[in-house]
Amino acid sequence: MTEEIKVLIVDDHQLIREAWTAILQMTNRIKVIGTAETAEEAYEVCSIYRPEVVLMDINLKNSNGFDATEKICNSLPKTRVIGLSLHDDVALVKKFLSKGAKGYLSKNTSREELVAAIDAVMNDKIYLAADIKEKFINQIIDTEKPAEKELTNKEIEIVTLISQGFTSKEIAEKIFISVRTVETHRHNILKKLNIPNAAQLSSWAKDKGYI
Amino acid sequence: MTEEIKVLIVDDHQLIREAWTAILQMTNRIKVIGTAETAEEAYEVCSIYRPEVVLMDINLKNSNGFDATEKICNSLPKTRVIGLSLHDDVALVKKFLSKGAKGYLSKNTSREELVAAIDAVMNDKIYLAADIKEKFINQIIDTEKPAEKELTNKEIEIVTLISQGFTSKEIAEKIFISVRTVETHRHNILKKLNIPNAAQLSSWAKDKGYI
DNA sequence: TCATTTTTAAGTAGTTATACTTATAATTAG
DNA sequence: CTAATTATAAGTATAACTACTTAAAAATGA
């Protein structure tokens, strides 16, 4: 009998935290040592209780899970972080893995797969959900359309604000830069993503989980 | 010992279906008789297995849970539908309840509250999550802003197109009306909803499930 | 350190959106 | 049938957005 695997669950919805705890507790090999609501809380719990695996929802309320993942992976390299998200976007997954995460699951994965993923990362393997693997392959095959360019942090910040309906002027006042700078970012963003206007950008941002 | 309460879970994410099943099975008074991914499937399962309670996620992939709820409540009045959503929007909740639902929970509710809600609706009570109740009260207190006006069918059609990023000109060509007419609709929509621009409208429309 | 990327800013121009108002035909509800 | 609502269209004016270019300070990475 091996020891129990210590897991931390990070999600901003109580019902989901409790539900995942429940299904992990059903196996007697995994022990949920705690849950966290925010990125900050997640890091604190990690540094104190040293879980072996962290299940991290990407779409947290105030922060986006990326920073917390990076921080945890850098300072506690023994901790394996597995990402979980409703939005299975390839670029997002890549970015997440680049932060040091060891796995990625969509919410379409089964209970068995969740446990399999935990076992995999415990054996120092990278685990990707089947449907995400498939998307990766599809994107590689799709040589026609060039890979979607990645947005910079500032651009993401501005995308979020545009998508919420703020005008360039309002954004400028809000983050203390010139209106012209906001307009430049705006233009660059639309060009990078090949999107014609703010309405469609807003729709895009929602799909990606930026809002 | 009372009989077990038969529950159906409707959500388009497997992991969430399994997780909720797990926490409900932990009580030995509730039995999850099945799960469904889509609105159609939900209705079919209901008409065959006659669950006493249906836990319905509003944000389903292709349909928005409203039609399924209405259909179930009309043809199987003994079935109590409880709505579950990430978006705890007051107008949405009202609409959902008007379709015949008996309860509404946000994903911030606890496991205990989930069970309490099921017990409540079994006793023919209406159950609203604490945070949603609060929002209801806040909106009533907010006498300043009048209740959100409803959009006409044409307006909804145009909202959908605007939100997808089509310009007024494109919409005009697409549905064979004058650009000026589209602009009039556009203006009326923003005024009715008290929304300042297309980007925010797009966000709004996504939340409402119009796209 | 050096090269690259990012963030900042502004110029010029054309397009689209938003805010109001007015108005008529078509449809719908009582 | 009549009244109200809805869908249609246009006028006028202002604000905001989008396209494209140039450019320099700042941050980042190798």
Side-chain angles (χ1 to χ4, degrees):
Chain A
M1 187 68 188
T2 52
E3 269 193 36
E4 284 183 329
I5 302 168
K6 291 189 290 180
V7 174
L8 169 71
I9 292 172
V10 187
D11 195 296
D12 53 349
H13 295 101
Q14 187 174 356
L15 197 50
I16 290 174
R17 286 198 303 275
E18 294 190 355
W20 286 346
T21 303
I23 64 174
L24 288 179
Q25 303 284 31
M26 283 168 71
T27 72
N28 48 11
R29 299 175 17 252
I30 297 171
K31 182 175 172 63
V32 177
I33 56 125
T35 61
E37 285 187 62
T38 64
E40 295 75 33
E41 204 186 326
Y43 178 71
E44 281 179 33
V45 176
C46 275
S47 55
I48 297 169
Y49 294 104
R50 308 295 170 106
E52 287 152 296
V53 176
V54 177
L55 284 180
M56 169 91 67
D57 188 341
I58 309 301
N59 308 109
L60 297 174
K61 249 197 286 287
N62 300 320
S63 53
N64 56 9
F66 286 113
D67 301 331
T69 301
E70 193 169 24
K71 208 170 169 187
I72 291 168
C73 292
N74 282 342
S75 57
L76 305 165
K78 285 182 185 170
T79 311
R80 294 88 164 174
V81 178
I82 298 177
L84 256 165
S85 176
L86 289 163
H87 312 283
D88 42 352
D89 173 44
V90 175
L92 218 70
V93 177
K94 275 186 188 168
K95 189 175 171 188
F96 199 69
L97 294 176
S98 77
K99 298 292 184 192
K102 296 291 184 293
Y104 202 96
L105 299 170
S106 78
K107 283 178 184 167
N108 289 317
T109 55
S110 66
R111 192 179 54 202
E112 286 80 14
E113 207 172 0
L114 177 58
V115 176
I118 291 173
D119 285 332
V121 297
M122 284 301 290
N123 291 320
D124 294 321
K125 289 175 184 166
I126 301 285
Y127 193 95
L128 294 181
D131 50 349
I132 290 173
K133 260 188 202 162
E134 202 173 332
K135 283 209 173 181
F136 260 90
I137 293 165
N138 284 339
Q139 210 206 33
I140 292 165
I141 292 169
D142 261 339
T143 332
E144 309 213 6
K145 58 175 175 185
E148 205 168 68
K149 281 165 197 152
E150 267 203 51
L151 299 183
T152 66
N153 288 334
K154 203 83 206 174
E155 284 167 348
I156 289 173
E157 185 186 0
I158 288 174
V159 160
T160 307
L161 293 167
I162 292 173
S163 304
Q164 287 170 338
F166 292 105
T167 65
S168 293
K169 202 203 283 180
E170 288 168 338
I171 293 169
E173 285 163 3
K174 196 178 277 278
I175 64 175
F176 307 110
I177 56 174
S178 158
V179 180
R180 304 311 306 276
T181 309
V182 178
E183 283 176 341
T184 303
H185 283 307
R186 228 184 154 111
H187 177 246
N188 292 337
I189 290 162
L190 296 179
K191 202 175 179 184
K192 268 190 186 177
L193 303 176
N194 197 32
I195 280 176
N197 54 44
Q200 198 173 316
L201 182 66
S202 178
S203 178
W204 177 89
K206 281 235 157 186
D207 285 338
K208 299 291 174 183
Y210 286 140
I211 348 184
Chain B
M1 185 68 187
T2 53
E3 268 193 34
E4 284 183 329
I5 303 168
K6 292 189 289 180
V7 174
L8 169 71
I9 292 171
V10 187
D11 194 297
D12 53 349
H13 296 100
Q14 187 173 357
L15 196 51
I16 289 174
R17 286 198 303 275
E18 294 190 357
W20 286 346
T21 303
I23 64 173
L24 287 179
Q25 302 285 30
M26 283 168 71
T27 73
N28 49 9
R29 299 175 17 253
I30 297 170
K31 183 177 171 60
V32 177
I33 57 126
T35 61
E37 284 187 62
T38 64
E40 296 75 33
E41 205 186 325
Y43 178 72
E44 282 179 31
V45 174
C46 275
S47 54
I48 298 169
Y49 295 103
R50 308 295 170 105
E52 285 152 297
V53 176
V54 177
L55 284 181
M56 170 91 66
D57 187 342
I58 310 301
N59 308 109
L60 297 173
K61 248 197 288 287
N62 300 320
S63 53
N64 55 10
F66 286 113
D67 301 331
T69 300
E70 191 169 25
K71 209 170 169 187
I72 290 168
C73 293
N74 282 343
S75 56
L76 305 166
K78 285 181 188 171
T79 312
R80 295 89 165 174
V81 179
I82 298 176
L84 256 165
S85 176
L86 289 165
H87 312 284
D88 43 350
D89 173 43
V90 174
L92 216 72
V93 177
K94 276 187 188 168
K95 189 175 171 189
F96 199 68
L97 293 175
S98 77
K99 298 291 183 192
K102 297 289 184 294
Y104 203 95
L105 299 171
S106 78
K107 282 176 185 168
N108 288 318
T109 55
S110 65
R111 193 179 54 202
E112 286 79 15
E113 205 171 0
L114 177 58
V115 176
I118 292 174
D119 285 332
V121 298
M122 284 301 290
N123 291 321
D124 295 319
K125 289 175 184 166
I126 301 285
Y127 193 95
L128 295 182
D131 50 349
I132 290 172
K133 259 187 203 162
E134 201 173 332
K135 282 208 174 182
F136 259 90
I137 293 165
N138 283 340
Q139 213 208 28
I140 292 165
I141 292 169
D142 261 339
T143 331
E144 310 214 5
K145 57 177 177 184
E148 205 168 69
K149 281 164 198 153
E150 270 204 48
L151 298 183
T152 66
N153 289 333
K154 201 84 205 175
E155 284 167 347
I156 289 173
E157 185 186 0
I158 288 173
V159 161
T160 308
L161 293 166
I162 292 172
S163 304
Q164 287 171 335
F166 293 106
T167 64
S168 295
K169 203 202 283 180
E170 289 168 338
I171 294 170
E173 285 164 2
K174 196 178 275 278
I175 64 174
F176 307 110
I177 56 175
S178 157
V179 180
R180 304 311 306 274
T181 308
V182 178
E183 283 176 340
T184 302
H185 283 308
R186 228 184 154 112
H187 177 247
N188 292 336
I189 290 163
L190 296 180
K191 201 174 178 185
K192 268 190 184 176
L193 303 177
N194 197 31
I195 282 177
N197 54 44
Q200 198 174 316
L201 182 66
S202 178
S203 178
W204 177 89
K206 281 232 158 187
D207 284 339
K208 300 289 175 183
Y210 286 141
I211 348 182

